[in-house]
Amino acid sequence: MKKIHRISAICTALFLACTTVIFSQEVSRNKQSFDEDWKFSLGHAADPAKDFNFRVANIFAKAVKTETTAIDLKYNDKAWRSLNVPHDWAVELPFANSPNFDMMSHGYKAIGGLFPENSIGWYRKHFTVAKADSGSRYSVQFDGIFRDAMIWVNGFYLGRNESGYIGQTYDITDFLNFNSDNVIVVRADASQSEGWFYEGAGIYRHVWLNKYNGLHIPDEGVFVHATVANNQANVSVETTVENQYLIKSGYSLLSYITDRNGKKIASSTETTGSLNVNEKANVKQSIALSKPRLWSLEDPYQYHLVSEVRVGNKLIDVVKTRFGVRTIEFNLSTGFFLNGKHIKIHGTNNHQDHGGLGSALPNDLQYYRIRLLKEMGVNAYRASHHAPTPELLNACDSLGMLVLDEQRILSSSAEYIDQFTRLIKRDRNHPSIFLWSIGNEEGSIQTASSGRRIAQTLLAKQVELDPTRTSTYAADLANVFSGVNEVIPIRGFNYRHLGVADYHRDHPSQPILGTEMGSTVTTRGIYAKDSVRAYVPDQDITAPWWASTAEAWLPLSEENPFWLGGFIWTGFDYRGEPTPYQWPNISSHFGVMDACGFPKNIYYYYQSWWTDKDVLHITPHWNWKGKEGKLIDVWVNSNADNVELFLNRKSLGKKTMPKNSHLIWQVPYHAGVLQAVGYKGGRKITTKVETTGEAYQLVLRADKTNLKANGINTAVINVSVVDKQGREVPDVNELISFSLTGDAKIIGVGNGDPSSHEADKYLEGKWQRKLFNGKCQVIIQAGKNNSNIRLNADSENLKGSVNQISISK
């Protein structure tokens, strides 16, 4: 008995000693980017010998039985390619014509089940952790890997994440080697797709190494939301505190609010408690905030919530959470209200790829794309059809863009409940999110009783995790109530716009949102159907059978208050879903902008009616050599009261602009100047297009002139062509070569051509791209040293151009 007591006393003393050492530490929380210095190699989905013996070696026989595989800590990966993530290996692959539907819908990249040699990607990263930090805990956080990722650290298997969109975090504390080599290994399997659009492949989002104390706030352990009344906000804070120490521990939690400059302006009372080993507590606190500055589309102001955890007098954890104070309301008769102000939803659906980059977008590109949408008058973004990258939500929070955040699959299985849980807990503090979506177009399931039951389970989970918002479901159904629509709070319409009024008549207690509308297909700068090159005219005239033109749906939404508004399909062209063609078309035509963000003509239709800007836009261009005397349909998109059109100063007539519509003149072509004069509220506005001379010189325009020397910042350089008089030439398709000097690199080239089979990436460094109807794009990324970089653009038949950008600390 005495021996047992002595052993117990020794164990207790050891636990106390360990705990005392840990408690003596100050705050150790640190979130370190783990994007740099990865090694990469393709594996093989069908040949284990080319997949580093995976599926042959019995790696699960013991905790670490990884010899003869690329999982092994001692595996020699020096021959592998060195790169930084985010990385999309699919965009680097060639195109391959195939009759397979999934190949077509994903943009004909040579990846998937038919291409086992291109569908497995292996990543390895070496890192060290100092012995002095051995008292801390560590986790590795992957924001997104496409897809079916298996992860190891030092040969220890961490887990598997089948989702290509919602990330996962793994505790690696127990498996680390201090003061020596550690290796993270990732095997991504893109053999199976999830969507029916381009999805990319690999670690295409950020990776982080998180360091924290044993008693801490866990990942996504803070939920902050507010109610507002009489110029006073009541900020509710729910904080999870977890004890992973070896003994019971007391703690205190204080939450306070700062303004964006870090000034403390309000605080909770301090809450104390105690936690047993491995116990979690959900602590609820309240903070009164006087005269809050509300987050809005025009003023997207964000506060910071600071959560501090102490043990005794020691501050051992601090978590900072950005949030916004705003109110949202869905009114049955009058629509959607943000902070009491009526807002008609003017939204776009969007996939996540960009021309030249695939799915691995730098942070700056998220802001670039959201700014382009806002310039058009867009106020809402639907993340179609999956969890967006966190940086996209940050851009929407910062720039003032509402977000409809969507679950990938309508399913209540354990796997998809887990994905939905991770989505909501990750994103619920973003003020931009005004609505959740539990799924999209699930065929026969959506009208069945099983669909209703699945929806109810998902809705219950949403209310549990976020009672401050509600949900919709995107149904491609007209006046159909059975199934999901019986229980969904906000009825989502995908197309079927002519069924909205009947549905509202029969179900007046359900708000209605156009979750997918429009779907006009256009090719930038093309004005005649071309079935050989797979182009469609750049006007609002062509739509698939299941969709409509812009002018067919928008007036219904704008003129009927029971419409909350709608999301057009889509803001940007995206790779995959080549409609109405197939090969050689490898990209969609749905966007109001092409895949690089160059506006098409339909952009100006929406801008006319979604903004208060003076919009007056003429199409087509006026370079029609060989068509002299032939009639050209001239479209004018404008929000002017009336417009008069002139050709070479001769009036072609004045017309009143119909609301939510456009004007057309049939004009016999003669070279010269086509001018429109509009009057808006008595003010005169003008624009013109004119016949240009021959293409003469390249012009480079960058979205930034200065970049930070951080290895992250990017600049988008748009390339166009002018004649000798400086007029932009709209119909040039010359090949352009690019070279770069200074501490920066080119990371992608594109031109918005939906049938281009040119490379987006040139791993050997010889970057080039053809202009498509006068435009192309280059994206560069800064290095880490002060530098003046020069981007040179040259062409055999055009005068070259140089763009200079400064990079500094």
Side-chain angles (χ1 to χ4, degrees):
M1 182 65 70
K2 291 181 179 179
K3 183 177 181 181
I4 294 174
H5 286 165
R6 283 198 300 272
I7 293 173
S8 177
I10 292 170
C11 290
T12 302
L14 286 172
F15 285 168
L16 287 170
C18 292
T19 307
T20 301
V21 171
I22 296 172
F23 281 179
S24 70
Q25 295 179 349
E26 299 296 333
V27 176
S28 70
R29 180 172 292 277
N30 182 49
K31 185 175 184 178
Q32 175 187 348
S33 172
F34 242 33
D35 287 350
E36 295 185 348
D37 301 323
W38 288 80
K39 306 291 283 188
F40 172 76
S41 177
L42 287 174
H44 202 291
D47 187 346
K50 296 178 180 178
D51 200 29
F52 309 103
N53 288 329
F54 190 78
R55 294 187 309 277
V56 172
N58 188 4
I59 59 175
F60 294 114
K62 298 289 183 181
V64 181
K65 192 177 187 304
T66 56
E67 58 271 17
T68 76
T69 74
I71 304 165
D72 193 69
L73 175 65
K74 297 178 181 179
Y75 178 83
N76 187 348
D77 55 25
K78 290 183 178 179
W80 287 22
R81 176 181 160 195
S82 298
L83 52 77
N84 296 337
V85 300
H87 169 241
D88 174 4
W89 87 72
V91 76
E92 302 168 356
L93 297 173
F95 296 98
N97 190 4
S98 170
N100 179 268
F101 173 83
D102 285 315
M103 278 287 297
M104 178 271 292
S105 70
H106 282 74
Y108 291 106
K109 280 294 185 178
I111 193 170
L114 298 178
F115 296 90
E117 71 278 13
N118 293 333
S119 298
I120 303 294
W122 287 85
Y123 295 85
R124 287 171 56 92
K125 179 179 173 63
H126 296 258
F127 66 102
T128 58
V129 178
K131 180 71 173 178
D133 293 326
S134 61
S136 297
R137 298 198 69 86
Y138 292 86
S139 65
V140 61
Q141 173 184 330
F142 293 93
D143 285 348
I145 305 171
F146 197 88
R147 72 172 290 278
D148 195 8
M150 302 178 73
I151 298 114
W152 295 262
V153 167
N154 296 335
F156 289 93
Y157 180 58
L158 300 180
R160 185 175 199 161
N161 185 13
E162 293 187 85
S163 171
Y165 297 104
I166 189 68
Q168 187 66 285
T169 300
Y170 302 94
D171 190 325
I172 61 173
T173 306
D174 296 345
F175 314 124
L176 293 175
N177 301 318
F178 295 99
N179 285 350
S180 60
D181 192 30
N182 296 275
V183 177
I184 296 177
V185 179
V186 176
R187 181 184 186 268
D189 185 346
S191 302
Q192 175 67 55
S193 56
E194 288 189 56
W196 51 96
F197 39 84
Y198 180 84
E199 299 183 275
I203 307 177
Y204 72 98
R205 294 181 181 172
H206 293 299
V207 184
W208 308 91
L209 181 67
N210 298 314
K211 173 188 169 188
Y212 47 92
N213 277 320
L215 198 148
H216 61 275
I217 298 170
D219 193 35
E220 295 154 5
V222 176
F223 179 30
V224 54
H225 50 93
T227 57
V228 182
N230 301 320
N231 209 19
Q232 179 88 7
N234 180 43
V235 180
S236 298
V237 183
E238 299 177 37
T239 308
T240 301
V241 183
E242 180 178 18
N243 179 23
Q244 289 186 292
Y245 287 134
L246 299 176
I247 63 169
K248 182 178 181 178
S249 174
Y251 71 91
S252 64
L253 172 68
L254 178 69
S255 301
Y256 61 89
I257 297 171
T258 74
D259 64 16
R260 62 168 50 153
N261 297 316
K263 179 182 177 182
K264 185 176 179 180
I265 56 177
S267 178
S268 72
T269 57
E270 189 173 56
T271 302
T272 60
S274 64
L275 293 170
N276 292 317
V277 177
N278 283 336
E279 185 181 3
K280 294 181 181 180
N282 187 39
V283 181
K284 295 184 178 181
Q285 298 173 313
S286 181
I287 304 174
L289 182 61
S290 297
K291 298 179 181 179
R293 185 171 170 180
L294 301 184
W295 185 94
S296 67
L297 302 178
E298 302 79 18
D299 181 24
Y301 189 86
Q302 294 181 81
Y303 294 95
H304 291 84
L305 177 75
V306 182
S307 307
E308 295 184 344
V309 179
R310 286 177 168 80
V311 173
N313 294 323
K314 296 291 185 180
L315 180 64
I316 64 166
D317 200 11
V318 177
V319 172
K320 296 180 179 180
T321 306
R322 290 196 307 174
F323 74 101
V325 176
R326 85 287 184 273
T327 64
I328 53 177
E329 177 191 356
F330 296 94
N331 187 286
L332 287 172
S333 57
T334 53
F336 172 71
F337 289 81
L338 178 65
N339 302 325
K341 176 184 176 182
H342 179 257
I343 302 287
K344 181 72 81 167
I345 300 300
H346 295 154
T348 61
N349 287 269
N350 299 279
H351 288 311
Q352 62 181 356
D353 60 303
H354 187 89
L357 298 173
S359 294
L361 273 62
N363 297 357
D364 289 351
L365 258 292
Q366 307 292 353
Y367 289 81
Y368 180 79
R369 286 162 63 92
I370 295 301
R371 288 190 181 100
L372 291 177
L373 291 171
K374 283 186 69 75
E375 183 70 18
M376 190 182 87
V378 175
N379 60 23
Y381 183 109
R382 180 180 172 214
S384 312
H385 302 287
H386 52 73
T389 183
E391 289 69 35
L392 181 277
L393 297 178
N394 292 340
C396 293
D397 289 343
S398 298
L399 298 176
M401 177 74 73
L402 296 167
V403 175
L404 173 53
D405 204 351
E406 186 157 278
Q407 164 81 336
R408 173 73 281 277
I409 290 289
L410 179 75
S411 175
S412 54
S413 69
E415 170 64 26
Y416 289 107
I417 285 290
D418 178 59
Q419 290 187 22
F420 194 41
T421 298
R422 283 185 277 156
L423 172 71
I424 293 177
K425 292 182 72 173
R426 187 196 71 170
D427 294 350
R428 60 188 176 179
N429 290 322
H430 288 278
S432 57
I433 296 172
F434 77 112
L435 188 63
W436 302 103
S437 170
I438 63 171
N440 174 79
E441 293 185 4
E442 288 286 354
S444 61
I445 298 172
Q446 63 190 355
T447 58
S449 61
S450 59
R452 182 188 67 248
R453 295 192 301 272
I454 292 168
Q456 287 174 317
T457 299
L458 290 170
L459 291 170
K461 178 58 67 173
Q462 179 253 294
V463 172
E464 171 197 339
L465 298 173
D466 180 17
T468 72
R469 297 177 180 90
T470 190
S471 290
T472 187
Y473 168 78
D476 51 338
L477 301 167
N479 189 9
V480 177
F481 187 63
S482 61
V484 175
N485 289 338
E486 296 177 53
V487 296
I488 199 70
I490 307 292
R491 167 68 210 272
F493 267 82
N494 279 13
Y495 316 107
R496 315 301 189 265
H497 58 285
L498 296 179
V500 172
D502 289 344
Y503 188 91
H504 174 67
R505 178 199 64 212
D506 296 342
H507 309 285
S509 62
Q510 214 172 11
I512 293 173
L513 177 64
T515 39
E516 284 181 33
M517 289 287 138
S519 284
T520 302
V521 286
T522 60
T523 309
R524 178 180 56 79
I526 297 293
Y527 294 96
K529 181 179 179 180
D530 186 339
S531 57
V532 175
R533 293 185 295 175
Y535 298 148
V536 283
D538 192 7
Q539 302 288 18
D540 186 26
I541 57 177
T542 310
W545 67 267
W546 39 264
S548 75
T549 59
E551 288 191 38
W553 83 272
L554 187 62
L556 297 176
S557 174
E558 296 295 302
E559 296 164 10
N560 291 287
F562 57 81
W563 281 68
L564 297 172
F567 293 82
I568 57 177
W569 190 266
T570 53
F572 299 88
D573 280 346
Y574 54 93
R575 184 154 289 167
E577 284 200 291
T579 306
Y581 304 107
Q582 295 185 13
W583 185 271
N585 188 190
I586 49 84
S587 177
S588 82
H589 296 264
F590 294 117
V592 292
M593 290 176 277
D594 68 20
C596 294
F598 295 124
K600 305 180 192 179
N601 291 325
I602 198 171
Y603 176 102
Y604 300 98
Y605 168 74
Y606 284 110
Q607 189 183 54
S608 296
W609 307 115
W610 284 0
T611 73
D612 294 325
K613 299 176 183 178
D614 292 340
V615 180
L616 185 59
H617 183 75
I618 304 172
T619 55
H621 59 72
W622 211 238
N623 284 11
W624 298 104
K625 185 177 181 180
K627 292 191 175 183
E628 286 75 11
K630 295 183 179 179
L631 291 177
I632 304 291
D633 284 343
V634 175
W635 289 47
V636 174
N637 283 300
S638 180
N639 51 15
D641 302 323
N642 53 70
V643 178
E644 187 171 6
L645 191 66
F646 297 84
L647 177 60
N648 297 328
R649 299 185 179 181
K650 179 182 177 181
S651 177
L652 303 177
K654 187 175 185 178
K655 298 184 179 184
T656 300
M657 177 62 70
K659 184 74 171 176
N660 298 314
S661 188
H662 70 284
L663 297 173
I664 295 182
W665 283 261
Q666 286 194 316
V667 181
Y669 175 68
H670 297 284
V673 179
L674 194 64
Q675 183 183 39
V677 178
Y679 291 89
K680 183 180 180 182
R683 293 181 297 104
K684 180 180 178 180
I685 54 179
T686 64
T687 192
K688 66 180 180 179
V689 294
E690 57 185 306
T691 309
T692 70
E694 294 295 321
Y696 172 65
Q697 184 174 13
L698 296 169
V699 176
L700 306 181
R701 292 185 177 89
D703 72 320
K704 302 184 188 75
T705 56
N706 295 280
L707 297 175
K708 291 183 180 179
N710 56 10
I712 297 172
N713 271 177
T714 56
V716 177
I717 295 94
N718 292 324
V719 184
S720 57
V721 185
V722 296
D723 64 11
K724 287 187 176 180
Q725 296 182 44
R727 299 172 298 191
E728 188 169 303
V729 183
D731 51 358
V732 190
N733 297 296
E734 294 283 342
L735 179 65
I736 314 299
S737 298
F738 301 99
S739 60
L740 191 64
T741 60
D743 189 20
K745 61 183 178 181
I746 299 174
I747 60 173
V749 288
N751 62 11
D753 180 354
S755 296
S756 173
H757 296 181
E758 299 170 88
D760 297 290
K761 305 276 190 178
Y762 289 85
L763 302 183
E764 302 302 320
K766 296 181 179 179
W767 293 86
Q768 62 181 30
R769 192 74 174 199
K770 284 185 178 179
L771 297 163
F772 178 62
N773 292 325
K775 297 183 184 298
C776 69
Q777 187 175 85
V778 188
I779 301 169
I780 65 172
Q781 190 166 53
K784 293 187 176 181
N785 298 302
N786 292 345
S787 180
N788 289 317
I789 64 171
R790 290 169 54 93
L791 176 68
N792 297 277
D794 296 289
S795 177
E796 183 177 343
N797 300 312
L798 299 170
K799 186 177 179 181
S801 185
V802 176
N803 187 271
Q804 297 190 44
I805 296 177
S806 175
I807 299 178
S808 60
K809 298 286 187 180

